[in-house]
Amino acid sequence: MATLKDVAKAAGLSVGTVSRVLNNRGYISDETRQSVYAAMERLNYQPNEVARSLSKQKSNTIGLIMPSIEHPYFAKLISCLERAAYEQEYKVLLFCAYGIDDQEKKFVEACRSNRVAGLIICSDTVRTQTFNNLGFPLVSYERYLDSSDACVLCDNHEGGRMAAQELIAKGCRRIGCLSGTSRVGLPADTRKEGFLEACRQQEIETVELDFPPERTVDSGYYPDILEFLKRNEGIDGLFCGSDVIAAEAIQAAVELGISVPDRMKIIGYDDTLLSELTMPKITTIHQPVKEMAEMCIDLIDKKNNGDFVPARTIFHVSLVSRGTA
Amino acid sequence: MATLKDVAKAAGLSVGTVSRVLNNRGYISDETRQSVYAAMERLNYQPNEVARSLSKQKSNTIGLIMPSIEHPYFAKLISCLERAAYEQEYKVLLFCAYGIDDQEKKFVEACRSNRVAGLIICSDTVRTQTFNNLGFPLVSYERYLDSSDACVLCDNHEGGRMAAQELIAKGCRRIGCLSGTSRVGLPADTRKEGFLEACRQQEIETVELDFPPERTVDSGYYPDILEFLKRNEGIDGLFCGSDVIAAEAIQAAVELGISVPDRMKIIGYDDTLLSELTMPKITTIHQPVKEMAEMCIDLIDKKNNGDFVPARTIFHVSLVSRGTA
């Protein structure tokens, strides 16, 4: 089998230059890169990342354990994490646990046995003790996790306040708050708290709809929202815990002949691609997912370098005005 | 460091049983599984997948190279591939190349140096020669690729015909066809061919809008669609190359005061989550993505076992009637 030396010789370059091309380090001209690739192809050279990982007892792979891939929010998050990882020369091992405790546990073990450089987890159910003695940095995303090295989240409370203030400023006087119920306490739960607090301070009436835990993006929220709007007449504003819920709220409003935003204003949460594809487009709370994803990767890097990492890093959110409010 | 034997001893089980738990093979009672996990935790046992991969010169990882993660179609596809891989005891290494040739090349090299068990690629630009002598099975998804071992795709031509027949049956007499233009020939291009053929056979007038190659889900298709509908009055039906395009077509129709489906019917393609979140919901052509994803994993398995694999595996599509047609 061809070695690195053979490739260097065939390309007429030093071993150091070939190594820089392979590891994508430092400046390499396109011409040099192409001649290395050509030599590799001629010789059928196969660098062995596996051997390197074994000798270093650490791979350049980061594990992601997510509750969903298809949900527009997680699709965006995974996209941003893959990109941030790529820019820091990491690869991404993707696991979807669907909020099932047993699968999360298996995936954590898989990360361990694959000697990942770090793990980013967005878990709904996992128990704290799963995460002792992992041997690599653990970053929890929008989750409180005692055993994580660092937690990255957005200021959910601020997002809730912002949504309330916008709806009130636009004239809403009886506002519905639609949100999921988590089996464990999630940072996202404080969206509702911030929202209710802001409404209380301005003496605005609120009506709450908490979806049962079994409701997901797959089952849909539509029948609950329809029933809620029928039961509570005169609602002129809705704060929705996600853009998906907001999209289904638009559907329910149209079904009931309630014009959006004229008779009822709607604000979503997340600022996903979906918020631009409904009619009207969804006014929503923007989470800086790109920056949050980059922070996750940075924190793993820092922790592996022995640097100090903060327990929680919280990002500001912002309001994106579109068509529903 | 604790060994497999230590774990077996601590759990009071045979090494074979512990190995079956770790490899998730055969029937294991919950009780046995828990006692193995407990022993592993007590001893801080870390199985080494990396060493196993090195000795076998093959990992149990499958590489995915996709052009997008956030696009609803690819979010669904990646979700199905992760699940199909998990069920066959593979892990998934996810790369997003955004259709950039140089990145695809790098990712193929990364898969090679990580000794993946196989690679599933959905590439827009990659050149054939990149894929010689990979040393692992290559499955192309919805792409023609001379050097791939197998290609998995849906019957795009059939999908186009189906959409035309449905629109004509619903009374459309002047139908617009909105589709992207690929820089390379894609199987998806035959959607349009099937559509135009069926319209021609029934002597139905068609008007085409081909989006320029730089239009993506990020830039959006809305201004082009708006302009197209203004320029071509009396269009009473639209066949859209994806659900994303269909969602933007709904937006453009509402903007122009054209009621959907009364005055204009719209049929999308893909049957993604998005098609259920617009108002009206999108009537669309369903691709059996779950089954196609399972086939990709099966083909890699078969090829690795030395079994014969067909060059192309083509899946039937079906019409899903929702609100737009």
Side-chain angles (χ1 to χ4, degrees), chain A residues 49 82-83 96 113 251 278, chain B residues 49 83 96 113 251 278:
Chain A
E49 193 70 46
E82 189 274 346
R83 199 61 347 201
C96 186
S113 61
Q251 294 177 327
T278 57
Chain B
E49 194 70 45
R83 196 65 343 203
C96 186
S113 61
Q251 293 177 328
T278 56

Side-chain angles (χ1 to χ4, degrees), chain B residues 38-59:
Chain B
M40 282 168 62
E41 230 162 82
R42 274 201 312 280
L43 300 172
N44 193 21
Y45 170 75
Q46 308 193 347
N48 195 334
E49 194 70 45
V50 180
R52 208 179 301 167
S53 301
L54 189 67
S55 70
K56 291 194 299 183
Q57 279 291 310
K58 186 79 88 187
S59 72

Side-chain angles (χ1 to χ4, degrees), chain B residues 227-246:
Chain B
E227 180 59 30
F228 172 80
L229 289 177
K230 280 184 189 164
R231 215 173 46 237
N232 297 284
E233 275 184 32
I235 286 185
D236 54 10
L238 286 181
F239 170 48
C240 301
S242 72
D243 291 339
V244 170
I245 296 174

